[in-house]
């Protein structure tokens, strides 16, 4: 039925309607489309004469004649004007096709098909306009269907992408663009079709067939609807904007270069360190100017050779390649996404017949005829050919020239997808390298003057990051800024048996090389004495003897500031550091020596004229520990006292030198108070606490050295300690083995059970045979496994070689062979014999060699 035609059918466009005329010449049936076309409802026209109802009066006579002929059985087609009731004049033209018909009773009737001529003319006009747009538009015009294939394209579009306009029907965006661009356009087409929202100035990049240059297009997309409002496709209008992009890129490049030079002036040269200056150059260049960059400096410049910088390049004149260079810095904007980024950078060095890139920190030479060697030899920028297999396609080798001397080479590289370097880029690269070269040459002069002092100052620090059982440790060492003198401040962290730790902070009075040498000797002596596992007071007494042997102290200034009766007043700065004194006689030193036991969380302190330790417990204000100061090392004649303090879990212990709290601008007491207040938040990360102390206090550390050693108390967990007391009887040996086995199994250390049982049996047996009193067995698990056997005897065990006829005497030899370390120490009530085993790492334990086994016989 006409009125049931689906939306979007042709009848919606040409406005087709129908009605029927009965045998009496009156309208018998009136369709809904007829009602829409003539503007009259069914009840207004059914039963009326169609001629009288629709046609003008002057046409009615002829119309009545036509209706009569139709009822006589003739077909008729014609165009007739009609009027719409309620309107003046003719409402329009209708093309009517009348077909004779018969009723069920055999009477003649007629079926009338009506088409609005105005709709046909409008369709004709629209087609002509559409053809004009597609055929005459100077822009590429394309119409996509709802399946995103090309329905129609104009000649301009075909001129760009080849062929005739009709050849593009059925193609997709993948036929014109690269995959990433095609996917982006496809998603945009889908969004426009689904939402109806137009998209303007969609930027697309592609390469037309038969060309090599990349073109840029700006594309506008909008959804196209049928007469009924149904989406039928997406229209696209593309404009070539390549020249606009080129102009914009050149303008942006000029602005970028000016901004880059301005940034380089501000950021390069803020440090007098060579490597730092090289990194500052790369921070400016990557990724704004290039994707990859590296800096090579002459090895002679870095090692501080006294030869003239001009001599570094003479090696190249022999034809064997460049002089030695070191890769001091490299940066990549794509290294996270592409491992081994620098493998594609040109200008590599020769290795086993291949060209490989230098690694960061490596010393290398460039082949004589390589672009990098030529750039170093001539002082001119050289282009490095890209590797077709790699992803770097453009590299500049730029010599770093300062005062007409080449000090190194910087390479700037761009990867595929970035624009290759142009002449303007070469000029900018030369300027960047020149600015960095001047700063590096200044840094070279500074380094030559200070290298010896820096090396000596670094030697004062413990190697690596200090670690200790039950302690979280952080430290800082800030040397004074005097160019020709080095201070004598030092600190140390020493591991002791039983997972105990010795913490040491000391300060040799005076300055200069001799004071630093004296400090080095005292520091070495402290480590040696600590290995003997002496009590803190004994360590300082022995250290005092060492200090007195270093020289002959002169003058009574050494005792100045101490009470006549040896009262515990803190020595003044004048008494401890007389910089005007004869340096050959300055061998006084102050020192704090502390031993921390993580099992009991007790720390034993001994002080030799040093500032008191500071303890900050959670929720409590920081306090100065009441440790008798004693006399400085080297004075002699006075014993040292010990103080044992139990520290809470999470407490913060700070040892420091006077440079942190004392200056000419404020008295010592104010500095100590400020230090205690700076530790108001001991629960913060330890590194942050150290930084907070140094930034909060008015240290003026340029005047004096600063050593700061901080430790947060973290006792061993109860389940990491096994402690038992055994009666003095033979069955205690078996009991000790059983206890050790059970404890190790509970810790998951099954691999150590056999060895531990054997060694525990030996130590307990020796305690029964040679010791006295009750026996105590203790196992400690931390980074290693420690076993301790205590008794009341004073006789220290001694390892000896058993004779062939001896049935015993090989126990300690077994202990020495099977353990990582072993030893004994005195205790207030006897002695402790211990051994230490490394925790298993998953590898099978090494078996004893034949030589080791035979050594026991």
């Amino acid at each position: 039925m006409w009125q049931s035609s689906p939306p979007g059918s042709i009848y919606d466009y040409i406005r087709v309607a129908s009605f029927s005329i009965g045998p009496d010449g009156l309208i018998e049936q009136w369709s809904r489309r007829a009602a829409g076309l003539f503007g009259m409802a069914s009840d207004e026209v059914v039963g009326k004469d169609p001629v009288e109802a629709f046609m003008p009066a002057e046409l009615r006579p002829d119309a009545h004649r036509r209706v009569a002929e139709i009822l006589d059985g003739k077909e008729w087609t014609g165009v007739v004007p009609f009027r719409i009731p309620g309107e003046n004049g003719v409402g329009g033209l209708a093309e009517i096709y009348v077909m004779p018909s018969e009723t069920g009773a055999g009477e003649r009737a007629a079926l009338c098909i009506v088409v609005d001529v105005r709709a046909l003319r409008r369709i004709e006009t629209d087609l002509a306009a559409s053809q004009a747009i597609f055929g005459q538009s100077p822009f590429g015009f394309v119409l996509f269907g709802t399946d995103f294939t090309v329905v129609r394209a104009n000649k301009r579009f075909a001129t760009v992408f080849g062929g005739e306009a009709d050849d593009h029907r059925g193609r997709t965006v993948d036929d014109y663009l690269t995959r990433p661009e095609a996917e982006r356009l496809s998603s945009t087409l889908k969004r426009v079709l689904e939402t109806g929202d137009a998209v303007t100035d969609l930027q697309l990049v592609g390469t037309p067939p038969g060309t090599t240059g990349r073109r840029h297009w700006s594309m506008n997309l909008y959804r196209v609807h049928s007469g009924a409002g149904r989406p039928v496709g997406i229209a696209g209008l593309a404009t070539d904007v390549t020249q606009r992009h080129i102009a914009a890129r050149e303008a942006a490049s000029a602005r970028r270069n000016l901004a880059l030079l301005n940034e380089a002036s501000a950021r390069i040269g803020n440090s007098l360190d060579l490597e730092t200056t090289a990194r500052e150059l790369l921070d400016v260049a990557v990724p704004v100017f290039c994707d990859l960059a590296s800096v090579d400096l002459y090895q002679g410049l870095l090692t501080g050779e006294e030869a003239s910088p001009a001599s570094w390049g003479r090696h190249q004149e022999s034809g064997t390649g460049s002089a030695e260079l070191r890769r001091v810095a490299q940066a990549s904007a794509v290294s996270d996404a592409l491992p081994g980024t620098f493998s594609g950078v040109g200008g590599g060095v020769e290795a086993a017949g291949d060209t490989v890139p230098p690694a960061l920190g490596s010393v290398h030479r460039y082949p004589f005829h390589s672009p990098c060697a030529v750039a170093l030899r001539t002082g001119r920028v050289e282009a490095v050919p890209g590797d077709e297999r790699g992803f770097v396609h453009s590299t500049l080798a730029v010599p770093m020239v300062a005062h007409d001397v080449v000090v190194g080479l910087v390479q700037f590289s761009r990867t595929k997808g970035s624009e290759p370097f142009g002449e303007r880029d070469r000029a900018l690269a030369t300027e960047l390298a020149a600015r960095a070269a001047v700063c590096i040459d200044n840094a070279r002069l500074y380094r030559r003057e200070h290298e010896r002092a820096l090396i000596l100052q670094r030697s004062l620090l413990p190697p690596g990051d200090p670690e200790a059982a039950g302690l979280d440790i952080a430290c800082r060492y800030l040397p004074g800024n005097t160019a020709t003198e080095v201070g004598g401040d030092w600190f140390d962290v020493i591991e002791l048996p039983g997972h105990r730790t010795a913490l040491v902070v000391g300060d040799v009075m005076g300055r200069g090389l001799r004071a630093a040498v004296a400090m080095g000797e005292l520091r070495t002596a402290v480590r040696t004495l600590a290995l003997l596992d002496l009590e803190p007071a004994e360590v300082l007494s022995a250290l005092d003897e060492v200090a007195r042997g270093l020289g002959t102290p002169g003058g009574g200034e050494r005792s100045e500031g101490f009470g006549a009766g040896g009262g515990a007043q803190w020595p003044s700065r004048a008494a401890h550091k007389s910089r005007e004194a004869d340096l050959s006689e300055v061998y006084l030193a102050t020192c704090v020596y502390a031993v921390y036991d993580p099992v009991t969380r007790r720390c034993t302190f001994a002080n030799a004229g040093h500032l008191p330790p500071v303890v900050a417990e959670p929720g409590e204000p920081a306090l100065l520990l009441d440790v008798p100061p004693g006399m400085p090392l080297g004075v002699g004649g006075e014993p040292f006292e010990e103080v044992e303090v139990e520290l809470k879990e999470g407490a913060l212990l700070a040892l420091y030198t006077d440079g942190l709290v004392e200056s000419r601008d404020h008295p010592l007491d104010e500095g100590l108070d400020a230090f205690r207040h700076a530790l108001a938040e001991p629960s913060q990360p330890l590194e942050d606490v150290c930084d907070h102390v140094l930034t909060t206090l008015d240290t003026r550390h340029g005047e004096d050295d600063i050593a700061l050693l901080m430790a947060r108390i973290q006792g061993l967990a109860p389940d990491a300690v096994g402690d038992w007391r055994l009666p003095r009887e033979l069955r205690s040996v078996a009991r000790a083995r059983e206890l050790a086995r059970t404890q190790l199994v509970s810790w998951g250390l099954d691999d150590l059970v056999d060895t531990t049982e054997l060694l525990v049996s030996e130590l307990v047996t020796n305690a029964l045979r040679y010791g006295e009193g009750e026996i105590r067995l203790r196992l400690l698990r931390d980074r290693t496994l420690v076993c301790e056997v205590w008794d009341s005897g004073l006789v220290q065990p001694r390892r000896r070689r058993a004779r062939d006829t001896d049935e015993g005497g090989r126990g300690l030899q077994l202990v020495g062979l099977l353990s990582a370390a072993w030893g004994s120490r005195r205790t207030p009530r006897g002695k402790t014999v211990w051994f230490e085993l490394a925790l298993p790492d998953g590898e099978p334990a090494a078996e004893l060699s034949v030589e080791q086994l035979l050594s026991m016989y």
Side-chain angles (χ1 to χ4, degrees), residues 728 765-772 791 793-795 800 809 831:
R728 192 169 188 79
T765 300
N766 282 352
L768 289 173
R769 179 175 298 178
Y770 306 109
E772 298 177 6
D791 68 75
L794 298 178
V795 179
R800 64 182 179 85
K831 67 176 181 297

Side-chain angles (χ1 to χ4, degrees), residues 560-580:
E560 183 180 344
F562 291 87
Q569 297 181 359
W570 299 116
S572 68
R573 183 180 183 89
H576 281 197
K577 291 194 174 181
S578 176
R579 298 188 180 182
E580 293 77 21

Side-chain angles (χ1 to χ4, degrees), residues 161 173-179 181-182 185 204-207 217:
F161 291 100
V173 293
D174 295 306
D175 297 319
Y176 305 105
L177 301 173
T178 60
R179 184 172 182 179
E181 291 289 271
L185 179 55
L204 297 173
V205 180
T207 303
W217 294 285

Side-chain angles (χ1 to χ4, degrees), residues 629-649:
M631 300 295 288
L633 300 175
V635 174
E638 293 291 335
F640 297 97
E641 300 182 44
E642 292 182 356
V643 173
E644 186 177 67
V645 179
E646 183 174 351
L647 302 174
K648 293 183 179 180
E649 184 80 16

Side-chain angles (χ1 to χ4, degrees), residues 8-23:
S9 70
I10 191 172
Y11 305 107
D12 291 330
Y13 293 96
I14 61 177
R15 298 189 67 186
V16 177
S18 66
F19 64 92
S20 62
I21 301 176

Side-chain angles (χ1 to χ4, degrees), residues 432-460:
L432 289 174
R435 296 192 181 198
V438 171
C439 297
I440 285 176
D441 195 50
N442 293 338
R444 175 184 66 85
L445 298 175
Y446 173 81
R447 173 173 288 190
R448 185 179 63 184
E449 299 298 326
H450 295 83
E451 188 68 28
R452 292 182 181 88
L454 292 176
I455 292 174
L456 186 54
Q457 288 174 342
R458 292 191 186 104
S459 68
L460 309 180

Side-chain angles (χ1 to χ4, degrees), residues 722 724 733-745 747-765 777-781 784-789 811 814-815 817-820 834-840 845:
W724 306 275
V733 177
R735 177 60 177 163
R737 287 198 301 266
E738 179 184 354
L739 291 171
R741 182 192 315 112
T742 303
Q743 186 65 71
L744 263 61
V745 170
W747 285 340
L749 301 178
D750 302 59
D751 294 343
L752 300 181
V753 168
D754 293 339
T755 302
T756 304
E757 278 191 290
L758 175 60
L759 301 187
V760 165
S761 177
E762 291 294 338
L763 295 190
V764 174
T765 300
L777 172 65
R778 190 167 73 169
L779 294 178
L780 307 176
R781 184 200 63 189
T784 60
L785 175 68
V786 172
C787 175
E788 299 175 331
V789 176
L814 275 175
V815 174
L817 288 173
L818 297 178
S819 64
W834 58 271
F835 67 83
E836 184 175 344
L837 296 176
L839 297 183

Side-chain angles (χ1 to χ4, degrees), residues 471-495:
L471 291 176
D472 182 15
I473 296 177
C475 51
R476 295 290 187 274
Y477 183 86
L478 301 179
N481 60 10
T482 305
T484 58
E485 290 187 330
V486 179
D489 294 14
W490 92 92
F491 66 89
D492 212 342
V493 178
I494 308 169
E495 294 188 47

